[in-house]
Amino acid sequence: SPANNMSELWLVQINDSNMGISYGSIRLWASVGYAIMGGVYTYLLAGHSVYIAYIMYGIFALPAILLALSICSVPLSAEMKLEGRLRLRDLPFRKILCPVIIAFAAFTCVQNAAESGKVTFFIYILNDYGFGSEYLGVFMAVSAFCEVPTLLLSKRVLEKTGLLGWMIICLILKIFESLLYVFGNSLLFIIAGQITKGLCAGLLLSSRIQYLYHIAPKGLAATTNTLISSVGSVCSIIIMYSCQISLHKLSVLI
């Protein structure tokens, strides 16, 4: 997770530089890779132990590390260089914990919990339709491929609607996605939900990370993002654990 956060901020820094490269035009390749591997893992898990996933992760991590080391880094400002030397007790929490960032952290907690819930229980929906858990990758691939067109158009769309405006639109679409799962009665509803998820996920990711980059105090973007992501992850774990306990008690009573 920390590596993902830092790589996303690195892409935003490139997006805001004079290199002429947009965030979406680079980030879409992650979606393509995710979609392809979703299908590959579906095939592998059908005939191998689940541990094959961790072996594959290690195999792909090595060239990724070598690639990261070989890429020319974007020159850091003096403030960004200073941020790397900050200790926890030296962090300017008064600057970070402003009303806008606190509200965004609360939003992140709610969103992470909702997304974790959908991923956790999506497997059970597939099982209800007669699909094994190993087919999760196929449906994840559908949503990942649908992220590509929105990431390609993200720069133009965000220039017209603004970061905050598009985030609200994406959240409305996510509510629609959830309703498709709740009230759907065929596999078509599940596929439509995954397509909706992918179309808004690309732009939501792009707008969220860029919005955070702009509201964070100068030189503290990475620290702010790490703090918000950490709080969001902890809240997601607590909320999902509470849901699991509640569902277990409910099933016992039934």
Side-chain angles (χ1 to χ4, degrees):
S1 292
N4 288 337
N5 292 332
M6 287 186 286
S7 64
E8 294 293 350
L9 281 169
W10 178 58
L11 290 182
V12 173
Q13 192 177 1
I14 292 175
N15 182 81
D16 290 351
S17 67
N18 296 322
M19 298 174 65
I21 303 173
S22 67
Y23 173 92
S25 65
I26 300 178
R27 180 57 179 75
L28 67 89
W29 293 105
S31 299
V32 172
Y34 187 93
I36 293 173
M37 291 310 298
V40 172
Y41 275 120
T42 299
Y43 173 77
L44 290 176
L45 292 175
H48 298 82
S49 168
V50 69
Y51 293 108
I52 189 71
Y54 299 100
I55 296 173
M56 294 287 289
Y57 187 90
I59 292 173
F60 280 106
L62 292 175
I65 292 172
L66 294 175
L67 179 64
L69 292 174
S70 65
I71 294 176
C72 296
S73 60
V74 179
L76 296 178
S77 64
E79 290 173 319
M80 289 295 288
K81 291 178 181 178
L82 176 63
E83 181 187 348
R85 298 195 296 268
L86 286 175
R87 294 174 296 181
L88 181 62
R89 65 182 181 182
D90 297 329
L91 286 178
F93 285 106
R94 290 185 179 180
K95 289 184 178 180
I96 296 176
L97 299 180
C98 63
V100 175
I101 294 179
I102 291 175
F104 192 76
F107 156 74
T108 302
C109 291
V110 175
Q111 185 197 3
N112 283 4
E115 287 298 315
S116 297
K118 282 196 293 184
V119 173
T120 300
F121 295 104
F122 189 73
I123 294 177
Y124 299 112
I125 295 177
L126 294 183
N127 294 158
D128 288 342
Y129 282 95
F131 290 93
S133 300
E134 68 273 10
Y135 282 93
L136 176 65
V138 172
F139 291 91
M140 294 293 104
V142 172
S143 63
F145 272 125
C146 290
E147 291 178 8
V148 174
T150 53
L151 283 168
L152 279 171
L153 299 173
S154 61
K155 188 173 183 179
R156 294 181 181 178
V157 173
L158 293 175
E159 286 176 351
K160 293 182 178 179
T161 62
L163 295 173
L164 196 57
W166 188 251
M167 284 172 63
I168 294 173
I169 295 173
C170 288
L171 291 172
I172 294 173
L173 289 174
K174 281 188 170 292
I175 294 173
F176 175 70
E177 176 202 349
S178 298
L179 292 176
L180 287 172
Y181 300 146
V182 173
F183 297 105
N185 55 10
S186 71
L187 189 60
L188 290 177
F189 286 86
I190 306 300
I191 296 175
Q194 288 297 289
I195 293 173
T196 304
K197 173 185 176 182
L199 290 175
C200 67
L203 280 173
L204 182 60
L205 177 65
S206 179
S207 58
R208 179 191 176 279
I209 196 73
Q210 292 185 70
Y211 180 73
L212 175 59
Y213 186 83
H214 285 92
I215 65 172
K218 289 186 177 180
L220 294 171
T223 300
T224 305
N225 184 50
T226 301
L227 183 63
I228 291 178
S229 298
S230 300
V231 172
S233 298
V234 171
C235 289
S236 178
I237 292 170
I238 294 173
I239 293 173
M240 288 309 304
Y241 179 74
S242 301
C243 290
Q244 291 279 13
I245 295 296
S246 299
L247 287 173
H248 177 69
K249 291 182 178 179
L250 182 62
S251 64
V252 172
L253 290 174
I254 293 176

